[in-house]
Amino acid sequence: MKFFHIEILIAQHLKKSVFQNKAVFIITLFIGVLLLYAAFSGWENYSGQNETSEKYQHESRKDWLNNPDKNPHRMAHYGNFAFRKSTSLSVFEFGMEPFFGNAIFLEAHKQNTANFSEAGFSNSMLRFGEISIAMVLQVLLPLLIFFLGFNSVAAERENGTLKLLLSQGINWKQLLTGKILGVASVLMLLFVPTIVVLVFIWLLLQGFTISPDETLKMFLFVLFHFVYLLFFCTIAVLVSAASATSKKALISLIGIWLVCTIILPRTTQAMGAYLYKAPSKIQFNSDIEKDILKQGDSHNPNDLHYKAIKDSLLSAHKVDSVQQLPFNYSGFIMTEGEKISSRIYNKHLEELLKMYEKQNRFSKAVSFINPYIAMKNLSMGLSNTDYDSYIDFQKQAEAYRYNMAQKMNGLQVKYISNKKPGPTGKPLTIDKGHWADIAEFHYEPKGIRAVLKNEISAVISLILWIILLFFLLRIAAKNLKAI
């Protein structure tokens, strides 16, 4: 009990001395205002994007169902839209969402990418990053922690009170732990209210009906941010204890903050893109088009590949022309063409994703020397605003597109005659009731298991950093000197 009593007294003394400085009040108030603004802007962004997505997804579905009797292949080219709704945690972590599109036009024989990103409609200020709660927690609060803790031990050494404390029976372990708790107690004055507001907004957005998966994501989001901030509290005190003066401690801590939150993340991205160069969008599409043309053009009746299919069908059914086949020949060819084009696209996409995965793997490896990158990756993963969530949306939309196109081709094969109508004949169509056979698109965010599996390196990194700091604390307690 005496051990804890001493630590608490040291923590209380630090907390009291911190608030004797008016600058602390101003900085704390400023960050508090930023947190409120971040919560408001996150709420506004989430509500606006999801309302827009719901509105246009509904309109797209309505337009699809209201199409008149039509040829199924024309319906496949008429297409549909897939919209991605934001998850509730994206209110606090914008991640890459402003730069990735949230809508994809789905049509036969063509794979489109997501469009209508917020960055596409914003001014150049977006490149500096938006103010989110996650950004304040991950970037600004560590800077505040360093400002609070840079003189926690160094000032005692400069004033000559450090010798006095140690001579009264207080050991280094008690002193360092008490100082860490003191800095953390000041930080909690911002962190706890932020989490209370965060949880309330999160519950409100879901109508106070929550799923176990979302609850676990929220719990881990809060837990890992707490651990992350506690890490910086420990760093601040250890650097202060190892520095001869407060000035040296402050310079060292600012340097650490700049490297961790600004220099290293941007350098890592640049190096990853340089080491593992990905093809441009034009080159990617051009390579796909070349491979498809090598396989054959399903819309060209004289194409050698599809002419061979035609000859084999006529031979198998012992008929002289496609008009005599018991099914629609064009629909059959379109089905085959869709299979080929989708297979080629998926092959090229997997190769591209492997290159991006190498870039991301490089960034994840750097997280073992930079806890900020680990926390950022984990935060984006839990809020489904990371790169992998965007790719997951693309894949879900592509699966929906392929199913839509093939169902339309199947309807054409089954219901459309091979005999073309005359100049005054009625166009070959089917009843519009078939359009309802295609279910409405709904994006399903990644579950907690998939997120943790993908971000396992970030989790391990944060755990290793905490273990490392624990050992550094023990080593410092044994080797630090009062002078």
Side-chain angles (χ1 to χ4, degrees):
M1 290 299 294
K2 185 180 177 182
F3 172 80
F4 290 106
H5 179 67
I6 292 173
E7 286 183 326
I8 292 170
L9 286 176
I10 294 172
Q12 289 175 341
H13 179 267
L14 185 143
K15 184 178 179 181
K16 184 179 179 181
S17 62
V18 160
F19 282 105
Q20 289 176 350
N21 186 349
K22 292 182 179 179
V24 173
F25 282 105
I26 296 172
I27 295 172
T28 305
L29 180 63
F30 174 72
I31 293 180
V33 171
L34 275 181
L35 284 168
L36 288 174
Y37 172 77
F40 172 76
S41 62
W43 177 294
E44 192 177 50
N45 180 71
Y46 172 88
S47 301
Q49 180 168 314
N50 280 4
E51 284 174 9
T52 302
S53 296
E54 283 185 15
K55 176 185 175 182
Y56 288 109
Q57 186 74 73
H58 177 72
E59 288 187 7
S60 175
R61 179 64 176 175
K62 184 178 178 181
D63 289 343
W64 173 269
L65 295 176
N66 286 341
N67 268 276
D69 295 349
K70 191 181 289 188
N71 189 296
H73 191 64
R74 287 187 62 194
M75 278 299 291
H77 280 287
Y78 179 83
N80 210 334
F81 276 95
F83 288 87
R84 178 171 63 105
K85 290 180 65 177
S86 300
T87 62
S88 54
L89 274 176
S90 67
V91 172
F92 319 114
E93 170 63 90
F94 299 156
M96 299 181 180
E97 204 165 62
F99 302 94
F100 291 147
N102 59 3
I104 303 177
F105 178 59
L106 310 173
E107 58 180 321
H109 311 306
K110 189 176 181 181
Q111 292 83 5
N112 298 308
T113 54
N115 291 307
F116 310 112
S117 67
E118 188 178 343
F121 298 99
S122 299
N123 57 35
S124 58
M125 287 301 293
L126 188 62
R127 75 185 62 178
F128 296 103
E130 294 183 300
I131 298 176
S132 66
I133 287 180
M135 188 276 280
V136 176
L137 294 177
Q138 295 163 16
V139 178
L140 296 185
L141 281 191
L143 185 60
L144 175 62
I145 289 169
F146 286 169
F147 180 74
L148 295 174
F150 78 96
N151 63 351
S152 57
V153 179
E156 303 274 11
R157 180 179 282 112
E158 289 177 297
N159 297 334
T161 55
L162 182 58
K163 276 178 157 186
L164 186 61
L165 283 171
L166 295 174
S167 65
Q168 290 179 343
I170 297 174
N171 58 48
W172 272 106
K173 185 178 180 181
Q174 291 172 321
L175 180 65
L176 293 176
T177 306
K179 296 291 185 180
I180 292 170
L181 289 177
V183 176
S185 66
V186 177
L187 177 68
M188 288 301 106
L189 296 176
L190 272 176
F191 184 73
V192 172
T194 300
I195 297 306
V196 171
V197 172
L198 187 150
V199 172
F200 177 74
I201 293 174
W202 175 72
L203 289 170
L204 195 61
L205 289 172
Q206 300 178 97
F208 292 90
T209 56
I210 55 175
S211 65
D213 190 82
E214 286 298 311
T215 303
L216 188 53
K217 285 181 181 179
M218 181 64 183
F219 173 76
L220 291 176
F221 185 88
V222 174
L223 175 64
F224 280 111
H225 275 92
F226 173 77
V227 170
Y228 172 78
L229 293 174
L230 197 60
F231 162 85
F232 281 98
C233 291
T234 306
I235 286 291
V237 173
L238 285 177
V239 171
S240 180
S243 302
T245 63
S246 299
K247 183 179 178 180
K248 288 182 179 180
L250 182 60
I251 293 172
S252 300
L253 290 171
I254 290 176
I256 292 171
W257 180 81
L258 285 172
V259 170
C260 286
T261 61
I262 297 175
I263 297 173
L264 201 54
R266 283 156 178 76
T267 304
T268 300
Q269 292 172 0
M271 288 183 65
Y274 176 78
L275 293 173
Y276 306 103
K277 292 182 180 179
S280 66
K281 185 177 180 180
I282 295 175
Q283 183 183 344
F284 177 74
N285 291 332
S286 176
D287 291 342
I288 291 174
E289 191 65 28
K290 287 178 183 177
D291 284 354
I292 290 176
L293 289 175
K294 289 178 183 177
Q295 289 290 324
D297 183 1
S298 60
H299 289 80
N300 180 7
N302 298 318
D303 184 90
L304 294 177
H305 174 76
Y306 291 98
K307 188 176 184 301
I309 295 176
K310 174 184 173 181
D311 293 340
S312 64
L313 286 174
L314 295 178
S315 175
H317 289 85
K318 298 179 181 179
V319 294
D320 299 324
S321 65
V322 294
Q323 285 77 17
Q324 297 174 348
L325 289 171
F327 54 85
N328 184 268
Y329 171 73
S330 295
F332 181 87
I333 292 298
M334 291 302 114
T335 302
E336 179 67 15
E338 192 66 58
K339 287 179 182 178
I340 291 174
S341 63
S342 294
R343 184 177 69 247
I344 292 172
Y345 172 82
N346 289 329
K347 176 187 174 184
H348 281 269
L349 180 62
E350 287 302 319
E351 292 175 357
L352 181 65
L353 293 182
K354 286 178 182 178
M355 188 61 67
Y356 286 143
E357 177 59 29
K358 289 179 181 179
Q359 293 180 6
N360 292 334
R361 206 179 297 142
F362 180 80
S363 175
K364 289 177 180 179
V366 176
S367 70
F368 286 97
I369 59 173
N370 186 0
Y372 168 75
I373 293 178
M375 188 66 252
K376 184 66 177 175
N377 289 340
L378 187 56
S379 176
M380 290 192 299
L382 290 170
S383 59
N384 292 107
T385 58
D386 60 336
Y387 170 77
D388 290 283
S389 293
Y390 168 74
I391 294 300
D392 184 56
F393 168 59
Q394 288 266 115
K395 288 182 176 180
Q396 288 186 37
E398 168 56 19
Y400 179 90
R401 184 207 68 83
Y402 181 77
N403 179 63
M404 176 192 73
Q406 293 298 54
K407 277 194 174 182
M408 290 297 105
N409 289 331
L411 290 172
Q412 181 174 349
V413 170
K414 186 175 181 180
Y415 294 109
I416 298 297
S417 172
N418 282 311
K419 296 178 181 179
K420 295 182 179 180
T424 59
K426 183 182 177 181
L428 298 175
T429 62
I430 63 173
D431 186 82
K432 64 179 182 180
H434 289 288
W435 311 152
D437 293 343
I438 305 296
E440 187 175 5
F441 176 83
H442 288 289
Y443 168 61
E444 292 294 331
K446 293 188 300 178
I448 185 64
R449 287 186 180 181
V451 170
L452 292 178
K453 181 180 179 182
N454 187 60
E455 299 297 343
I456 188 65
S457 60
V459 175
I460 294 173
S461 172
L462 289 172
I463 293 172
L464 289 177
W465 273 107
I466 294 300
I467 294 172
L468 176 63
L469 284 182
F470 176 76
F471 281 109
L472 286 176
L473 198 60
R474 294 189 65 179
I475 293 171
K478 292 179 180 179
N479 297 295
L480 284 172
K481 305 296 180 182
I483 301 175

